Amino acid sequence: MFIIKSRQFHIYSIIFIVLSILRIQKSFKMEPVFGDYDSASYFSFSLFGGLRMPLITFIYSNIQNLNSIVLFQSVISLLTFFYLGAVLFTFNLNRNITLLFSILTLCLGNSNHVVYLDSTIDSESLNISFLVLLIGSIILFFQFNNLIFLIP
């Protein structure tokens, strides 16, 4: 675990909290988008031989409520984009530039396209969130293991 102590990170955290409150309020107002042909298959959990990835179907079949799924996807998305922005603070760059890029990362996570995907009962929202988490973890791994020279 990495700990970041800077004034810019505190500003970033405050901006994250404000954007999170706005995003959660928006999630409560959004109507879930349920595809007649695609979304129903996400609610039948099967470990082997299922149509969908078992982790996604496990989550959806346990939550069941469409509005709760939208809220769950929004919270996961918020946390992963915050994580990616926080990872940027581990670089030894100008703190104000790092703050700018971190805020831009939060803005990307709060863009209309990402918010729309959070309201859709499909796996795209969680896939994007897990991809953002993976990218942040890879950056963090290279940063703390001094393997940054392996990136062409």
Side-chain angles (χ1 to χ4, degrees), residues 17-34:
I17 291 169
V18 170
L19 286 176
S20 297
I21 291 169
L22 295 174
R23 174 91 175 267
I24 296 299
Q25 285 178 341
K26 194 177 211 180
S27 295
F28 281 121
K29 294 177 184 175
M30 286 190 302
E31 191 68 31
V33 178
F34 189 84

PDB file of all heavy atoms in Angstrom, residues 17-34:
ATOM      1  N   ILE A  17     -14.487  13.551  -3.593  1.00  0.00           N
ATOM      2  CA  ILE A  17     -15.669  13.435  -2.737  1.00  0.00           C
ATOM      3  C   ILE A  17     -16.845  14.208  -3.334  1.00  0.00           C
ATOM      4  O   ILE A  17     -17.974  13.701  -3.394  1.00  0.00           O
ATOM      5  CB  ILE A  17     -15.344  13.898  -1.304  1.00  0.00           C
ATOM      6  CG1 ILE A  17     -14.395  12.897  -0.644  1.00  0.00           C
ATOM      7  CG2 ILE A  17     -16.615  14.078  -0.482  1.00  0.00           C
ATOM      8  CD1 ILE A  17     -13.788  13.364   0.656  1.00  0.00           C
ATOM      9  N   VAL A  18     -16.586  15.426  -3.816  1.00  0.00           N
ATOM     10  CA  VAL A  18     -17.655  16.230  -4.413  1.00  0.00           C
ATOM     11  C   VAL A  18     -18.200  15.544  -5.665  1.00  0.00           C
ATOM     12  O   VAL A  18     -19.422  15.417  -5.837  1.00  0.00           O
ATOM     13  CB  VAL A  18     -17.144  17.656  -4.732  1.00  0.00           C
ATOM     14  CG1 VAL A  18     -18.161  18.424  -5.566  1.00  0.00           C
ATOM     15  CG2 VAL A  18     -16.825  18.403  -3.452  1.00  0.00           C
ATOM     16  N   LEU A  19     -17.307  15.084  -6.545  1.00  0.00           N
ATOM     17  CA  LEU A  19     -17.750  14.394  -7.763  1.00  0.00           C
ATOM     18  C   LEU A  19     -18.476  13.090  -7.432  1.00  0.00           C
ATOM     19  O   LEU A  19     -19.422  12.707  -8.127  1.00  0.00           O
ATOM     20  CB  LEU A  19     -16.556  14.115  -8.683  1.00  0.00           C
ATOM     21  CG  LEU A  19     -15.989  15.321  -9.425  1.00  0.00           C
ATOM     22  CD1 LEU A  19     -14.746  14.916 -10.219  1.00  0.00           C
ATOM     23  CD2 LEU A  19     -17.020  15.938 -10.347  1.00  0.00           C
ATOM     24  N   SER A  20     -18.043  12.416  -6.385  1.00  0.00           N
ATOM     25  CA  SER A  20     -18.697  11.166  -5.982  1.00  0.00           C
ATOM     26  C   SER A  20     -20.122  11.415  -5.517  1.00  0.00           C
ATOM     27  O   SER A  20     -21.034  10.663  -5.867  1.00  0.00           O
ATOM     28  CB  SER A  20     -17.909  10.474  -4.875  1.00  0.00           C
ATOM     29  OG  SER A  20     -16.647  10.109  -5.328  1.00  0.00           O
ATOM     30  N   ILE A  21     -20.304  12.455  -4.737  1.00  0.00           N
ATOM     31  CA  ILE A  21     -21.653  12.783  -4.263  1.00  0.00           C
ATOM     32  C   ILE A  21     -22.559  13.099  -5.448  1.00  0.00           C
ATOM     33  O   ILE A  21     -23.689  12.606  -5.535  1.00  0.00           O
ATOM     34  CB  ILE A  21     -21.602  13.956  -3.251  1.00  0.00           C
ATOM     35  CG1 ILE A  21     -20.922  13.496  -1.958  1.00  0.00           C
ATOM     36  CG2 ILE A  21     -22.998  14.509  -2.975  1.00  0.00           C
ATOM     37  CD1 ILE A  21     -20.591  14.615  -1.008  1.00  0.00           C
ATOM     38  N   LEU A  22     -22.057  13.898  -6.389  1.00  0.00           N
ATOM     39  CA  LEU A  22     -22.853  14.229  -7.572  1.00  0.00           C
ATOM     40  C   LEU A  22     -23.150  12.987  -8.409  1.00  0.00           C
ATOM     41  O   LEU A  22     -24.264  12.820  -8.917  1.00  0.00           O
ATOM     42  CB  LEU A  22     -22.124  15.281  -8.413  1.00  0.00           C
ATOM     43  CG  LEU A  22     -21.943  16.650  -7.767  1.00  0.00           C
ATOM     44  CD1 LEU A  22     -21.075  17.544  -8.632  1.00  0.00           C
ATOM     45  CD2 LEU A  22     -23.292  17.295  -7.500  1.00  0.00           C
ATOM     46  N   ARG A  23     -22.159  12.127  -8.537  1.00  0.00           N
ATOM     47  CA  ARG A  23     -22.340  10.915  -9.348  1.00  0.00           C
ATOM     48  C   ARG A  23     -23.319   9.937  -8.704  1.00  0.00           C
ATOM     49  O   ARG A  23     -24.138   9.328  -9.388  1.00  0.00           O
ATOM     50  CB  ARG A  23     -20.976  10.248  -9.539  1.00  0.00           C
ATOM     51  CG  ARG A  23     -20.978   8.935 -10.228  1.00  0.00           C
ATOM     52  CD  ARG A  23     -20.810   9.094 -11.722  1.00  0.00           C
ATOM     53  NE  ARG A  23     -20.690   7.814 -12.351  1.00  0.00           N
ATOM     54  CZ  ARG A  23     -19.559   7.197 -12.614  1.00  0.00           C
ATOM     55  NH1 ARG A  23     -18.422   7.771 -12.317  1.00  0.00           N
ATOM     56  NH2 ARG A  23     -19.548   6.026 -13.182  1.00  0.00           N
ATOM     57  N   ILE A  24     -23.258   9.783  -7.392  1.00  0.00           N
ATOM     58  CA  ILE A  24     -24.188   8.890  -6.694  1.00  0.00           C
ATOM     59  C   ILE A  24     -25.612   9.437  -6.798  1.00  0.00           C
ATOM     60  O   ILE A  24     -26.561   8.672  -7.008  1.00  0.00           O
ATOM     61  CB  ILE A  24     -23.761   8.696  -5.221  1.00  0.00           C
ATOM     62  CG1 ILE A  24     -22.397   8.004  -5.140  1.00  0.00           C
ATOM     63  CG2 ILE A  24     -24.812   7.924  -4.447  1.00  0.00           C
ATOM     64  CD1 ILE A  24     -22.335   6.629  -5.755  1.00  0.00           C
ATOM     65  N   GLN A  25     -25.765  10.761  -6.673  1.00  0.00           N
ATOM     66  CA  GLN A  25     -27.087  11.357  -6.846  1.00  0.00           C
ATOM     67  C   GLN A  25     -27.616  11.092  -8.250  1.00  0.00           C
ATOM     68  O   GLN A  25     -28.790  10.786  -8.438  1.00  0.00           O
ATOM     69  CB  GLN A  25     -27.036  12.859  -6.585  1.00  0.00           C
ATOM     70  CG  GLN A  25     -26.934  13.222  -5.135  1.00  0.00           C
ATOM     71  CD  GLN A  25     -26.845  14.721  -4.937  1.00  0.00           C
ATOM     72  OE1 GLN A  25     -26.516  15.473  -5.858  1.00  0.00           O
ATOM     73  NE2 GLN A  25     -27.119  15.170  -3.720  1.00  0.00           N
ATOM     74  N   LYS A  26     -26.734  11.203  -9.230  1.00  0.00           N
ATOM     75  CA  LYS A  26     -27.120  10.934 -10.616  1.00  0.00           C
ATOM     76  C   LYS A  26     -27.488   9.465 -10.796  1.00  0.00           C
ATOM     77  O   LYS A  26     -28.409   9.136 -11.541  1.00  0.00           O
ATOM     78  CB  LYS A  26     -25.966  11.316 -11.546  1.00  0.00           C
ATOM     79  CG  LYS A  26     -26.327  11.402 -12.979  1.00  0.00           C
ATOM     80  CD  LYS A  26     -25.108  11.852 -13.781  1.00  0.00           C
ATOM     81  CE  LYS A  26     -25.526  12.645 -14.971  1.00  0.00           C
ATOM     82  NZ  LYS A  26     -24.403  13.097 -15.764  1.00  0.00           N
ATOM     83  N   SER A  27     -26.782   8.572 -10.103  1.00  0.00           N
ATOM     84  CA  SER A  27     -27.070   7.139 -10.205  1.00  0.00           C
ATOM     85  C   SER A  27     -28.458   6.812  -9.665  1.00  0.00           C
ATOM     86  O   SER A  27     -29.127   5.929 -10.194  1.00  0.00           O
ATOM     87  CB  SER A  27     -26.030   6.326  -9.439  1.00  0.00           C
ATOM     88  OG  SER A  27     -24.771   6.457 -10.016  1.00  0.00           O
ATOM     89  N   PHE A  28     -28.882   7.512  -8.613  1.00  0.00           N
ATOM     90  CA  PHE A  28     -30.221   7.274  -8.070  1.00  0.00           C
ATOM     91  C   PHE A  28     -31.316   7.733  -9.038  1.00  0.00           C
ATOM     92  O   PHE A  28     -32.408   7.186  -9.039  1.00  0.00           O
ATOM     93  CB  PHE A  28     -30.397   7.980  -6.725  1.00  0.00           C
ATOM     94  CG  PHE A  28     -29.771   7.252  -5.581  1.00  0.00           C
ATOM     95  CD1 PHE A  28     -28.796   7.849  -4.808  1.00  0.00           C
ATOM     96  CD2 PHE A  28     -30.155   5.958  -5.272  1.00  0.00           C
ATOM     97  CE1 PHE A  28     -28.218   7.176  -3.743  1.00  0.00           C
ATOM     98  CE2 PHE A  28     -29.581   5.279  -4.214  1.00  0.00           C
ATOM     99  CZ  PHE A  28     -28.611   5.884  -3.449  1.00  0.00           C
ATOM    100  N   LYS A  29     -30.998   8.734  -9.846  1.00  0.00           N
ATOM    101  CA  LYS A  29     -31.985   9.270 -10.776  1.00  0.00           C
ATOM    102  C   LYS A  29     -32.008   8.524 -12.120  1.00  0.00           C
ATOM    103  O   LYS A  29     -32.963   8.663 -12.867  1.00  0.00           O
ATOM    104  CB  LYS A  29     -31.706  10.749 -11.035  1.00  0.00           C
ATOM    105  CG  LYS A  29     -31.895  11.614  -9.807  1.00  0.00           C
ATOM    106  CD  LYS A  29     -31.529  13.046 -10.092  1.00  0.00           C
ATOM    107  CE  LYS A  29     -31.631  13.891  -8.839  1.00  0.00           C
ATOM    108  NZ  LYS A  29     -31.184  15.258  -9.055  1.00  0.00           N
ATOM    109  N   MET A  30     -30.974   7.768 -12.418  1.00  0.00           N
ATOM    110  CA  MET A  30     -30.894   7.085 -13.707  1.00  0.00           C
ATOM    111  C   MET A  30     -31.822   5.884 -13.756  1.00  0.00           C
ATOM    112  O   MET A  30     -31.949   5.153 -12.778  1.00  0.00           O
ATOM    113  CB  MET A  30     -29.457   6.611 -13.988  1.00  0.00           C
ATOM    114  CG  MET A  30     -28.514   7.705 -14.356  1.00  0.00           C
ATOM    115  SD  MET A  30     -26.928   7.112 -14.943  1.00  0.00           S
ATOM    116  CE  MET A  30     -26.329   6.149 -13.609  1.00  0.00           C
ATOM    117  N   GLU A  31     -32.426   5.722 -14.894  1.00  0.00           N
ATOM    118  CA  GLU A  31     -33.246   4.547 -15.133  1.00  0.00           C
ATOM    119  C   GLU A  31     -32.347   3.457 -15.700  1.00  0.00           C
ATOM    120  O   GLU A  31     -31.619   3.679 -16.669  1.00  0.00           O
ATOM    121  CB  GLU A  31     -34.350   4.896 -16.138  1.00  0.00           C
ATOM    122  CG  GLU A  31     -35.409   3.853 -16.286  1.00  0.00           C
ATOM    123  CD  GLU A  31     -36.270   3.706 -15.047  1.00  0.00           C
ATOM    124  OE1 GLU A  31     -36.486   4.697 -14.325  1.00  0.00           O
ATOM    125  OE2 GLU A  31     -36.712   2.572 -14.802  1.00  0.00           O
ATOM    126  N   PRO A  32     -32.343   2.257 -15.116  1.00  0.00           N
ATOM    127  CA  PRO A  32     -31.489   1.183 -15.636  1.00  0.00           C
ATOM    128  C   PRO A  32     -31.868   0.818 -17.074  1.00  0.00           C
ATOM    129  O   PRO A  32     -33.055   0.762 -17.408  1.00  0.00           O
ATOM    130  CB  PRO A  32     -31.755   0.019 -14.696  1.00  0.00           C
ATOM    131  CG  PRO A  32     -32.319   0.632 -13.464  1.00  0.00           C
ATOM    132  CD  PRO A  32     -33.044   1.857 -13.905  1.00  0.00           C
ATOM    133  N   VAL A  33     -30.860   0.619 -17.894  1.00  0.00           N
ATOM    134  CA  VAL A  33     -31.073   0.219 -19.285  1.00  0.00           C
ATOM    135  C   VAL A  33     -30.969  -1.300 -19.335  1.00  0.00           C
ATOM    136  O   VAL A  33     -29.903  -1.870 -19.072  1.00  0.00           O
ATOM    137  CB  VAL A  33     -30.029   0.872 -20.215  1.00  0.00           C
ATOM    138  CG1 VAL A  33     -30.242   0.414 -21.647  1.00  0.00           C
ATOM    139  CG2 VAL A  33     -30.084   2.381 -20.106  1.00  0.00           C
ATOM    140  N   PHE A  34     -32.067  -1.941 -19.661  1.00  0.00           N
ATOM    141  CA  PHE A  34     -32.139  -3.401 -19.672  1.00  0.00           C
ATOM    142  C   PHE A  34     -32.415  -3.850 -21.103  1.00  0.00           C
ATOM    143  O   PHE A  34     -33.482  -3.579 -21.652  1.00  0.00           O
ATOM    144  CB  PHE A  34     -33.253  -3.889 -18.738  1.00  0.00           C
ATOM    145  CG  PHE A  34     -33.271  -5.366 -18.513  1.00  0.00           C
ATOM    146  CD1 PHE A  34     -32.462  -5.937 -17.550  1.00  0.00           C
ATOM    147  CD2 PHE A  34     -34.086  -6.191 -19.273  1.00  0.00           C
ATOM    148  CE1 PHE A  34     -32.471  -7.296 -17.328  1.00  0.00           C
ATOM    149  CE2 PHE A  34     -34.114  -7.555 -19.060  1.00  0.00           C
ATOM    150  CZ  PHE A  34     -33.292  -8.109 -18.082  1.00  0.00           C
TER     151      PHE A  34
END
